[in-house]
Amino acid sequence: MSFLSFLSNDIGIDLGTANTLIYVKNRGIIVNEPSIIALEENGGKVLAVGKEAREMYGRTHQDIITIRPLKDGVIADFEATEIMMREFIKKAKVNRISIGKIVVCVPSGITEVEKRAVRDSAERAGAREVYLVAEAMASAVGIGLDIEKPVGNMIVDVGGGTCEIAIISLGGIVLHTSIRIAGDEMNEAIVQYFKKNYNLLVGEKTAEMLKCEIGSVMPLEQEITTQVKGRDLIDGIPKTVEVNSAEIREALMDPVNTIVESVRLTLERTPPELASDILDHGIILTGGGGLLRKLDELIQKETQLPVNVAEDPLTAVVRGTGKILTDFNRYLRVLFRSKRV
């Protein structure tokens, strides 16, 4: 082992549409922050990144721009992604010159061009070697599945920009469905619901807060009521309305039904031997969307299969990158048959 490799820091990155998580080998998960960056309009100076930038989102004046550089799980703004990645690595207290390998998780349905953009961003952030791994595979590793066994496992990873549905066996993805309908589309559905039913314009942050705090996909034992503030589209002045969880549930049903239908269609295409394994082991729900109330119950009702929510589903992918880095030689053989995944 060279002296340079001895000093290097290997990093795992879950570069998500909504949140970016960074795992540093032997140190654990160091960064878990929103994928947002705030820049000066003129000059491009970085003013804030992550949580600080999120506080600014929707509240800036003309000299400051806030950017969400990833959309639908892929890079929408190459330069902003590179800057954001570099700033998060600084937050992790990793010196740029000491970076060794970077393992980055990507949606299974992205194109070669989109993979190239992710790889280039990681290299410009300081990586000497870049490895891309499918989010579903990283999730499976993160929740402790032995992915090399000849046993079928079904992962449903509901993130911010994409929903990844994969059947995994023998260290590879047998079937996958990647749909660009997930947490962001749920937020947008809530925004549109208020426009249509209350003539009220609410912000994306408000919509996400409602989804997390009172959102559900099946009736609750006791419905929850809350106050929502926004701008009246008729009078043009701020207004407060009272809504309950049943209304938010109605708003969420279109994107949620699309996700459930995609799960059903993937199951229909599953080879019979793997289908019997899934019947035994059930479907595993990961990603931040897995925390949406009763989503597991709805999928179970629609598929007649057991559904389990992974422990700490939001960090399953990045925990997978940590395990990959810890036992890299094993996973190099299984996941990275070619370095240029």
Side-chain angles (χ1 to χ4, degrees):
M1 181 184 289
S2 70
F3 181 67
L4 191 63
S5 63
F6 179 74
L7 287 177
S8 69
N9 285 289
D10 293 338
I11 297 171
I13 301 178
D14 175 10
L15 193 62
T17 306
N19 295 285
T20 295
L21 294 88
I22 293 182
Y23 179 101
V24 180
K25 188 177 177 182
N26 299 323
R27 289 172 57 198
I29 300 169
I30 308 298
V31 171
N32 181 356
E33 303 220 13
S35 301
I36 304 177
I37 187 167
L39 304 167
E40 278 187 355
E41 176 70 44
N42 298 316
K45 179 185 174 185
V46 179
L47 300 176
V49 65
K51 290 172 186 162
E52 296 88 352
R54 182 170 175 75
E55 290 301 312
M56 297 180 180
Y57 196 68
R59 294 188 169 100
T60 57
H61 52 75
Q62 63 182 6
D63 296 328
I64 298 174
I65 53 171
T66 51
I67 303 170
R68 292 185 62 189
L70 291 111
K71 182 173 175 55
D72 298 333
V74 297
I75 293 174
D77 187 321
F78 184 86
E79 189 177 345
T81 301
E82 182 189 325
I83 295 167
M84 184 182 75
M85 205 182 294
R86 199 162 56 231
E87 292 297 318
F88 280 144
I89 289 171
K90 277 186 198 171
K91 279 197 173 192
K93 295 184 169 54
V94 174
N95 192 308
R96 182 186 168 97
I97 62 170
S98 73
I99 300 171
K101 294 186 285 288
I102 291 186
V103 173
V104 187
C105 298
V106 294
S108 53
I110 70 170
T111 66
E112 288 302 319
V113 173
E114 289 164 341
K115 287 179 184 178
R116 181 76 251 175
V118 174
R119 197 177 289 117
D120 286 350
S121 290
E123 286 172 351
R124 288 171 184 267
R128 287 201 292 275
E129 296 177 76
V130 180
Y131 296 86
L132 305 186
V133 60
E135 286 174 3
M137 293 300 289
S139 286
V141 173
I143 62 179
L145 295 180
D146 186 346
I147 60 170
E148 294 180 81
K149 283 187 174 180
V151 174
N153 288 289
M154 187 172 194
I155 304 286
V156 179
D157 186 334
V158 186
T162 61
C163 175
E164 299 289 310
I165 305 162
I167 311 291
I168 293 167
S169 178
L170 288 168
I173 295 175
V174 179
L175 274 174
H176 80 266
T177 304
S178 181
I179 58 170
R180 298 190 176 188
I181 291 178
D184 284 353
E185 281 66 29
M186 293 181 196
N187 296 344
E188 180 59 26
I190 293 171
V191 170
Q192 294 303 322
Y193 181 86
F194 278 95
K195 278 185 184 177
K196 181 180 176 183
N197 293 277
Y198 288 98
N199 289 314
L200 190 74
L201 184 63
V202 299
E204 186 184 320
K205 282 174 67 177
T206 299
E208 184 167 12
M209 178 272 293
L210 288 167
K211 177 185 73 179
C212 295
E213 293 188 2
I214 68 170
S216 69
V217 298
M218 291 182 74
L220 302 174
E221 291 175 10
Q222 186 171 351
E223 301 294 350
I224 309 163
T225 302
T226 191
Q227 303 283 325
V228 179
K229 298 172 184 174
R231 191 180 83 228
D232 192 303
L233 289 168
I234 297 172
D235 297 335
I237 58 174
K239 183 171 91 170
T240 301
V241 298
E242 186 172 88
V243 297
N244 61 44
S245 48
E247 292 176 278
I248 302 303
R249 181 163 60 251
E250 183 185 340
L252 290 172
M253 286 324 292
D254 274 355
V256 168
N257 284 338
T258 302
I259 291 169
V260 173
E261 185 59 23
S262 296
V263 172
R264 287 174 59 88
L265 290 172
T266 305
L267 284 166
E268 286 175 11
R269 294 162 48 214
T270 303
E273 295 296 338
L274 296 178
S276 65
D277 291 337
I278 295 164
L279 186 62
D280 292 338
H281 301 128
I283 298 168
I284 302 165
L285 203 53
T286 67
L291 297 170
L292 184 61
R293 285 182 186 85
K294 294 184 178 284
L295 180 58
D296 55 332
E297 292 181 29
L298 180 64
I299 295 174
Q300 184 164 327
K301 178 186 171 189
E302 294 297 323
T303 62
Q304 299 299 307
L305 292 170
V307 178
N308 305 299
V309 180
E311 184 181 348
D312 196 5
L314 192 60
T315 65
V317 170
V318 79
R319 281 187 282 125
T321 67
K323 290 183 179 181
I324 290 166
L325 288 169
T326 302
D327 196 359
F328 190 74
N329 287 335
R330 173 193 171 192
Y331 288 108
L332 180 68
R333 173 176 54 81
V334 178
L335 296 176
F336 309 116
R337 294 178 177 89
S338 163
K339 179 181 165 184
R340 297 297 184 190
V341 175

